[in-house]
Amino acid sequence: MARAPFRFLYRRVRPLPRQIAPVLSAVAAQEADRLKAVQIDADGNPAAVTRYGVLSLPTLLLFRDGEPVKQIVAGGGAD
C-alpha cells in the first residue's frame, strides 16, 4: 500500500508549530507504513509556500497521487 504524504509548513519561531510538530512527528512514526510526513520551515523554504499557495502558517497539506487534496490551517490566524 502506498503511503499518503503530508507536509507541515510552519515558521520555527512561532509557539503553535513548536507544539504541533512533535505530535505530527509521533503520528508519522506510529503510522510510518501508511503516512509519509515532511516538515518544512517556511522561512527556510519560501518556494514551498508559494508552490502550495499557503497564505497562513502553520498549514498542514494532505496529498493524494502527488497532488494536494486538503489544506488545514492550524490556529486559524494569519501569520
Side-chain angles (χ1 to χ4, degrees):
M1 177 166 94
R3 297 184 304 166
F6 69 86
R7 289 167 177 80
F8 178 59
L9 288 95
Y10 65 98
R11 185 164 278 139
R12 187 182 325 227
V13 298
R14 307 292 290 168
L16 184 60
R18 287 191 307 235
Q19 295 169 352
I20 294 172
V23 173
L24 291 177
S25 293
V27 169
Q30 189 173 21
E31 300 292 334
D33 58 329
R34 297 183 334 118
L35 297 174
K36 177 182 177 187
V38 177
Q39 294 184 34
I40 301 171
D41 178 8
D43 291 330
N45 194 346
V49 173
T50 302
R51 178 180 179 184
Y52 299 121
V54 174
L55 300 176
S56 186
L57 297 170
T59 295
L60 178 66
L61 298 167
L62 304 173
F63 288 74
R64 179 177 292 136
D65 298 324
E67 296 297 322
V69 294
K70 180 100 174 155
Q71 187 177 90
I72 301 166
V73 178
D79 191 31

